[in-house]
Amino acid sequence: MRVLVTGGAGFIGANFVHTTVETMPDAEVTVLDKLTYAGNPKSIEGLDRVNLVVGDIADMDTVDPLVADADVVVNFAAESHNDNSLNDPSPFIRTNIEGTYTLLQAVRRHHTRFHHISTDEVYGDLAIGEDRKFKPGDPYKPSSPYSSSKAASDLLVRAWVRSFGVEATISNCSNNYGPYQHIEKFIPRTITNLIDGIRPRIYGTGLQVRDWIHVLDHNSAVWEIINKGRIGETYLIGANGEKNNLEVTRMILAEFGREPDDFDHVNDRPGHDQRYAIDATKLEEETGWEPQYRDFAKGIHDTIQWYKDHEDWWRPQKAAVEAKYAKNGQ
Ligand code: NAD
Ligand code: DAU
């Protein structure tokens, strides 16, 4: 099987590439990645049967021949960070919307199976304490430039399925954690701050809830959907991992032997979504998927160890990431 993985040098895509070549001996993987600040070729270095093409998913001259050579395209490529989208939305529009459009036109032309990676954030947020989770048919109510650009890309996929018969599926996953996540994101930022002796930063109250899932569980669900999902359908991926930001910070502080209140409250994120929670019943019933990494405390322990063991991977970016946050008072 020839698999084109866009954004395969990023966090979730790189983990997907690792698992694919480890578990599918017949898979040949081409990664198409622009290597933005978030892409790191080291994350997929030295893997057998993986070919990296540096290029833009919004550039049809690059995309078309790669899609022509693929049996399946899995689209992880995106601008993915809410805070960046608040500072400058333009790359989000270009990559997340125009990039998805370009891929759709290519898979349409070559009749190639397409899987689009999206986010639970397209549904907006839930109230803290509310007894409700996101379901696949819920209305789209994105809050940020990031999530609205992802929502737009999902709608393009649905339209290309209906109008042009493109064979596509969509998955909307909750917050991932694990190895190779960029240190701008909450968990790796907190871990690498503590490695550097910096107090963790909590936006606003810290009572916001995220539904954490290990990245390898996300990716096993993606393969189940590619293999067993119904064309045109949307599947929500989640592992019942709701925790508020204070709880997560305190778990990490404890791993470092620090006091539970050894953090700073900083400026809140404008428009900050309060709570995400996923109802993954449709995915579980239709594909039989279930998460393997259910022990969040162990997952956090192993993730901390990964960042301790891979300082060469993240160190070159740390000072610039923190300088950018400092400008926002965060
Ligand atoms: P990431 O920012 O770590 O990686 C994105 C990758 O895409 C990078 O390698 C980057 O270089 C590449 N890229 C960016 N623009 C590109 C372009 N124009 N052409 C080609 N490559 C480009 O992101 P991630 O956290 O791995 O997220 C991957 C996907 O999963 C995104 O679509 C995101 O919306 C979605 N998602 C993420 C999470 C999460 O918790 N991280 C949860 C649910 C869904
Ligand atoms: O729900 C899926 C989404 O999860 C994905 O679509 C996004 O690509 C991914 O980045 C993630 O979005 P969040 O905005 O939830 O993740 P982030 O890591 O930026 O922040 C998680 C929570 O932690 C959020 O409530 C903001 C807060 N936070 C973040 C940082 C970086 C802090 O309190 N302090 C921080 O230093």
Side-chain angles (χ1 to χ4, degrees):
M1 185 189 267
R2 296 162 305 167
V3 188
L4 177 60
V5 180
T6 65
F11 164 44
I12 307 174
N15 279 286
F16 185 83
V17 172
H18 278 264
T19 308
T20 299
V21 292
E22 277 159 22
T23 59
M24 295 170 56
D26 65 331
E28 298 283 337
V29 176
T30 299
V31 170
L32 170 59
D33 198 296
K34 194 176 172 183
L35 298 184
T36 67
Y37 79 95
N40 190 339
K42 286 200 169 84
S43 305
I44 49 169
E45 208 169 56
L47 293 177
D48 284 341
R49 291 174 282 120
V50 176
N51 174 36
L52 170 63
V53 176
V54 180
D56 188 339
I57 59 163
D59 173 16
M60 185 57 94
D61 290 343
T62 304
V63 163
D64 192 75
L66 297 176
V67 170
D69 272 349
D71 299 311
V72 58
V73 178
V74 192
N75 180 30
F76 292 92
E79 288 291 336
S80 69
H81 194 37
N82 276 297
D83 293 325
N84 292 343
S85 81
L86 295 163
N87 288 332
D88 178 11
S90 60
F92 290 75
I93 305 305
R94 162 92 179 160
T95 289
N96 299 359
I97 304 179
E98 290 180 37
T100 304
Y101 160 74
T102 306
L103 291 170
L104 284 167
Q105 287 290 73
V107 295
R108 175 187 171 197
R109 187 174 307 120
H110 297 289
H111 307 285
T112 311
R113 176 78 169 85
F114 185 65
H115 182 74
H116 183 60
I117 305 292
S118 191
T119 170
D120 59 356
E121 296 193 20
V122 299
Y123 297 111
D125 63 355
L126 301 158
I128 296 167
E130 182 186 3
D131 184 23
R132 191 167 74 84
K133 297 186 174 198
F134 295 136
K135 291 197 160 110
D138 284 355
Y140 274 30
K141 288 199 301 184
S143 313
S144 73
Y146 161 65
S147 53
S148 58
S149 68
K150 292 297 291 185
S153 69
D154 292 8
L155 298 183
L156 292 177
V157 176
R158 290 181 183 179
W160 263 242
V161 170
R162 174 150 177 174
S163 298
F164 304 124
V166 162
E167 294 204 2
T169 40
I170 301 174
S171 55
N172 300 74
C173 190
S174 58
N175 285 62
N176 287 217
Y177 74 97
Y180 300 109
Q181 185 167 31
H182 194 277
I183 55 165
E184 69 189 349
K185 302 286 173 22
F186 175 50
I187 287 179
R189 183 185 184 206
T190 303
I191 293 170
T192 54
N193 273 356
L194 284 165
I195 290 173
D196 280 357
I198 304 169
R199 283 157 70 90
R201 313 288 199 229
I202 299 260
Y203 294 180
T205 60
L207 295 175
Q208 298 79 12
V209 173
R210 296 294 182 265
D211 190 355
W212 293 100
I213 181 172
H214 196 280
V215 62
L216 297 181
D217 280 334
H218 179 179
N219 285 336
S220 65
V222 170
W223 269 120
E224 291 288 353
I225 295 164
I226 292 169
N227 290 325
K228 300 179 191 162
R230 287 179 293 134
I231 297 303
E233 292 294 317
T234 290
Y235 295 88
L236 266 56
I237 306 174
N240 297 316
E242 283 186 72
K243 294 257 177 304
N244 73 35
N245 296 337
L246 284 172
E247 291 175 283
V248 173
T249 302
R250 287 181 171 138
M251 286 176 74
I252 300 172
L253 281 166
E255 286 277 341
F256 279 85
R258 304 272 291 256
E259 294 299 315
D261 287 338
D262 206 359
F263 59 79
D264 292 323
H265 286 282
V266 295
N267 286 345
D268 206 352
R269 174 184 284 170
H272 200 169
D273 280 341
Q274 294 302 298
R275 172 176 166 248
Y276 306 139
I278 292 280
D279 179 345
T281 307
K282 175 178 171 180
L283 169 71
E284 290 162 358
E285 288 185 353
E286 288 194 20
T287 71
W289 173 84
E290 52 181 53
Q292 301 299 316
Y293 297 83
R294 293 170 193 270
D295 185 344
F296 185 65
K298 179 171 187 323
I300 286 292
H301 174 85
D302 292 349
T303 303
I304 291 171
Q305 195 57 49
W306 189 89
Y307 281 90
K308 285 182 174 169
D309 292 343
H310 294 82
E311 191 165 335
D312 57 325
W313 182 86
W314 56 267
R315 173 61 65 198
Q317 304 214 322
K318 184 66 181 167
V321 167
E322 290 308 313
K324 207 161 152 188
Y325 277 124
K327 276 193 200 157
N328 283 348
Q330 292 174 324

